[in-house]
Amino acid sequence: MKKKSKREAGIRNPMEKTTEKPYQADKVLDLRGWVCPWVLLKAKSWLRRMNAGEILEVISSDAQIHKSFSDVFERTGDRVISMNHDEDCYHVFVKRG
Protein backbone atom coordinates (compact mmCIF):
# COMPACT_ATOMS: atom_id res chain seq x y z
CA MET A 1 0.00 0.00 0.00
CA LYS A 2 1.42 3.36 -1.05
CA LYS A 3 1.85 5.96 1.69
CA LYS A 4 -0.13 9.16 1.09
CA SER A 5 1.76 12.39 0.57
CA LYS A 6 1.13 15.22 3.03
CA ARG A 7 -0.98 17.03 0.43
CA GLU A 8 -3.08 13.90 -0.25
CA ALA A 9 -3.58 13.42 3.49
CA GLY A 10 -4.85 17.01 3.79
CA ILE A 11 -1.88 18.28 5.82
CA ARG A 12 -0.93 21.84 4.89
CA ASN A 13 2.45 23.45 4.94
CA PRO A 14 1.83 26.23 7.50
CA MET A 15 3.56 28.84 5.37
CA GLU A 16 2.03 27.80 2.06
CA LYS A 17 0.87 30.70 -0.09
CA THR A 18 -2.83 30.31 -0.75
CA THR A 19 -5.98 32.31 -1.33
CA GLU A 20 -8.43 29.67 -0.10
CA LYS A 21 -9.56 29.65 3.51
CA PRO A 22 -9.05 26.27 5.17
CA TYR A 23 -11.62 26.86 7.94
CA GLN A 24 -14.78 28.84 8.49
CA ALA A 25 -14.01 31.40 11.20
CA ASP A 26 -16.61 32.40 13.77
CA LYS A 27 -14.89 35.78 14.18
CA VAL A 28 -12.29 37.64 12.12
CA LEU A 29 -9.75 39.99 13.68
CA ASP A 30 -7.95 42.16 11.12
CA LEU A 31 -4.72 43.46 12.63
CA ARG A 32 -2.82 44.45 9.50
CA GLY A 33 -0.36 47.17 10.44
CA TRP A 34 -0.11 46.01 14.08
CA VAL A 35 3.06 44.31 15.36
CA CYS A 36 3.77 41.66 17.99
CA PRO A 37 3.24 41.63 20.94
CA TRP A 38 0.11 43.73 20.30
CA VAL A 39 -1.20 41.21 17.78
CA LEU A 40 -0.92 38.42 20.38
CA LEU A 41 -2.50 40.47 23.14
CA LYS A 42 -5.46 41.52 21.03
CA ALA A 43 -6.03 37.97 19.78
CA LYS A 44 -5.89 36.58 23.33
CA SER A 45 -8.41 39.21 24.42
CA TRP A 46 -10.84 38.20 21.68
CA LEU A 47 -10.39 34.48 22.39
CA ARG A 48 -11.28 34.96 26.06
CA ARG A 49 -14.72 36.16 24.95
CA MET A 50 -15.31 33.19 22.64
CA ASN A 51 -16.79 29.78 23.45
CA ALA A 52 -14.82 26.52 23.38
CA GLY A 53 -14.58 25.13 19.86
CA GLU A 54 -15.08 28.47 18.10
CA ILE A 55 -12.49 29.60 15.54
CA LEU A 56 -10.85 33.01 15.38
CA GLU A 57 -9.14 34.13 12.18
CA VAL A 58 -6.35 36.63 12.82
CA ILE A 59 -5.11 38.59 9.81
CA SER A 60 -1.73 40.25 10.29
CA SER A 61 0.99 41.83 8.19
CA ASP A 62 3.64 41.13 10.87
CA ALA A 63 5.99 38.35 9.71
CA GLN A 64 6.84 37.47 13.34
CA ILE A 65 3.35 36.06 13.81
CA HIS A 66 4.31 32.61 12.56
CA LYS A 67 7.11 32.31 15.13
CA SER A 68 5.16 33.24 18.23
CA PHE A 69 1.51 32.29 17.80
CA SER A 70 1.73 28.50 18.19
CA ASP A 71 3.87 28.61 21.33
CA VAL A 72 1.80 31.22 23.10
CA PHE A 73 -1.62 29.76 22.40
CA GLU A 74 -0.78 26.14 23.19
CA ARG A 75 0.09 27.23 26.73
CA THR A 76 -3.41 28.70 27.14
CA GLY A 77 -5.28 25.64 25.86
CA ASP A 78 -6.15 27.28 22.54
CA ARG A 79 -4.71 25.78 19.37
CA VAL A 80 -3.42 27.17 16.09
CA ILE A 81 -5.10 24.95 13.50
CA SER A 82 -3.89 26.66 10.34
CA MET A 83 -1.44 29.34 9.32
CA ASN A 84 -0.86 30.55 5.77
CA HIS A 85 -0.10 33.73 3.92
CA ASP A 86 -0.86 35.51 0.71
CA GLU A 87 1.01 38.40 -0.90
CA ASP A 88 0.52 40.94 1.87
CA CYS A 89 -0.64 39.22 5.06
CA TYR A 90 -0.76 36.12 7.24
CA HIS A 91 -3.96 34.29 8.13
CA VAL A 92 -3.91 32.40 11.43
CA PHE A 93 -6.85 30.25 12.52
CA VAL A 94 -7.00 29.64 16.27
CA LYS A 95 -9.46 27.20 17.83
CA ARG A 96 -10.66 28.16 21.33
CA GLY A 97 -9.83 25.45 23.86
Side-chain angles (χ1 to χ4, degrees):
M1 181 179 209
K2 183 183 170 193
K3 185 177 176 181
K4 287 184 177 181
S5 71
K6 286 184 178 183
R7 183 170 294 284
E8 292 170 332
I11 300 171
R12 291 182 174 274
N13 174 349
M15 297 312 297
E16 178 179 322
K17 288 188 178 185
T18 183
T19 56
E20 73 179 67
K21 290 191 175 189
Y23 296 94
Q24 178 63 44
D26 295 293
K27 294 187 179 184
V28 178
L29 179 59
D30 189 341
L31 296 174
R32 284 178 269 207
W34 291 49
V35 294
C36 287
W38 302 112
V39 173
L40 287 167
L41 294 171
K42 192 69 168 177
K44 284 173 68 174
S45 173
W46 274 48
L47 282 164
R48 273 190 237 115
R49 293 180 278 159
M50 294 174 68
N51 297 318
E54 288 186 320
I55 296 173
L56 173 66
E57 178 184 5
V58 180
I59 304 170
S60 175
S61 54
D62 185 1
Q64 297 301 313
I65 195 170
H66 73 277
K67 295 179 182 177
S68 55
F69 253 58
S70 294
D71 294 337
V72 170
F73 286 116
E74 287 181 10
R75 284 185 248 143
T76 64
D78 302 323
R79 189 167 58 100
V80 174
I81 54 176
S82 177
M83 186 179 303
N84 52 56
H85 68 94
D86 55 28
E87 289 77 32
D88 64 341
C89 60
Y90 294 85
H91 298 265
V92 181
F93 291 83
V94 183
K95 188 171 188 176
R96 178 73 169 127

